[in-house]
Amino acid sequence: CQACNAQCVSASGCMGPSASDCNECAGYQYPVNYPLGSACKSGQNCARCVTQCPGVLTRGTCALACSAFEYPSETTTCLACDAQCVTGCTAAGPAACLNGLCRASKLQTGVCVASCPSRTVAVNSVCQACDAQCALGCTALGASSCLNGSCLYGSSLGTCVTQCPLGQYWQGTPNSACQLCQPGYYCADGVTRQACPANSFQSVGGSSACKACEGNMVCVLDLVTGLYTSYVCAVGYTTGVNGTVCGTALTTTTTATPVAGASRFVNTQDDMNVTIAVAVIIGVAVIIILIIAMVAIARIKRRLHPSPIYDIAEPSKPVGISGPLNTLTLSSDDPDHRGPRGPQSETY
């Protein structure tokens, strides 16, 4: 009997003297005859035992190539592909998936990912950047698909914007809705709100410009808000029947009539004269009331704090005050004083 080949496990025996005749390999079992690429002939044992694997090792077995879901490392050991690869890979990592096929989505660089990064959304399995106005992300492309309606700047009718429509303005805080421009203001850039300057006004909201007070128009300043929100015609003029504003001269005294588009009435000359007369009457009444009040206060002070009375004979000696405020005790050493000597009382 001949000894089995050294590549065989002795206890398992062999069928012949070669490394291809081993019942069990001591090293690796190679699937084809050595050298690599040689065809297995009919009737031959198409495996041989080798000490070192001339191919690649896959799960501890020597093979010609790695399986579809593996790739060969530098040590010729097969390693598993990234979990995001669908049909296999050519190297390590999610960027080496075979044919760029990913289980979920992939970045525009071709790297497979389980989910798209923040502020991106998958479109046809490719992560696309959300609209620049979206603060937290999006559910689709476009400024109207921002996640939870969150906007970096303002929003108008549910759509994130960096600039509000004309006649509106932004309050300056993230995710705040565009606000309608109020009367007395104009919003020309879609961001800021500015008050109408002198000689102009705006009586309606949502305006991008103020109206100029021209010709015989006079802008009216609202004393409560400090804004120019209306106008009146100058004295002697009114709005014409042909659409002219403050262009018709008054020939007769008229009553106050409303001005179209304004929040106040036209002041005629009679109205102004009445206003001046009322102001004068009120001023005179106030002066009279103040005088009466000052006289009353002076009388009260004299009753509460009476001045001392001095003796006629001795001016430097004040007369004493005793009893109630209306009873005075007079003392005098004048020998010519009528009545008994000593203090005398007199009630007033």
Side-chain angles (χ1 to χ4, degrees), residues 292-326:
I292 294 174
M294 293 173 63
V295 172
I297 292 173
R299 288 181 177 179
I300 293 173
K301 287 184 177 181
R302 285 199 298 270
R303 293 179 67 90
L304 295 178
H305 304 286
S307 301
I309 301 175
Y310 292 88
D311 194 318
I312 298 176
E314 297 184 21
S316 62
K317 183 179 181 181
V319 177
I321 300 175
S322 63
L325 291 177
N326 59 349

Side-chain angles (χ1 to χ4, degrees), residues 104-199:
S105 304
K106 65 180 177 181
L107 305 178
Q108 294 186 3
T109 58
V111 178
C112 294
V113 291
S115 60
C116 291
S118 175
R119 299 183 65 185
T120 62
V121 63
V123 179
N124 296 327
S125 299
V126 179
C127 296
Q128 304 283 348
C130 293
D131 192 277
Q133 314 310 319
C134 299
L136 301 178
C138 59
T139 56
L141 297 181
S144 61
S145 301
C146 294
L147 191 62
N148 298 327
S150 57
C151 305
L152 284 177
Y153 300 98
S155 63
S156 177
L157 301 177
T159 300
C160 295
V161 294
T162 55
Q163 180 177 335
C164 297
L166 292 181
Q168 299 181 21
Y169 68 99
W170 180 46
Q171 291 181 321
T173 56
N175 207 33
S176 60
C178 294
Q179 300 294 319
L180 194 68
C181 215
Q182 297 90 350
Y185 292 97
Y186 70 99
C187 302
D189 58 4
V191 178
T192 59
R193 178 189 68 172
Q194 300 183 58
C196 291
N199 297 324

Side-chain angles (χ1 to χ4, degrees), residues 162-243:
T162 55
Q163 180 177 335
C164 297
L166 292 181
Q168 299 181 21
Y169 68 99
W170 180 46
Q171 291 181 321
T173 56
N175 207 33
S176 60
C178 294
Q179 300 294 319
L180 194 68
C181 215
Q182 297 90 350
Y185 292 97
Y186 70 99
C187 302
D189 58 4
V191 178
T192 59
R193 178 189 68 172
Q194 300 183 58
C196 291
N199 297 324
S200 67
F201 74 98
Q202 185 51 259
S203 58
V204 297
S207 300
S208 59
C210 298
K211 298 178 181 179
C213 286
E214 300 175 339
N216 300 312
M217 298 171 61
V218 178
C219 289
V220 177
L221 178 65
D222 191 317
L223 298 180
V224 176
T225 62
L227 301 172
Y228 291 99
T229 57
S230 60
Y231 76 95
V232 295
C233 293
V235 176
Y237 291 89
T238 185
T239 299
V241 294
N242 295 326

Side-chain angles (χ1 to χ4, degrees), residues 319-333:
V319 177
I321 300 175
S322 63
L325 291 177
N326 59 349
T327 302
L328 299 179
T329 301
L330 304 177
S331 298
S332 177
D333 294 332

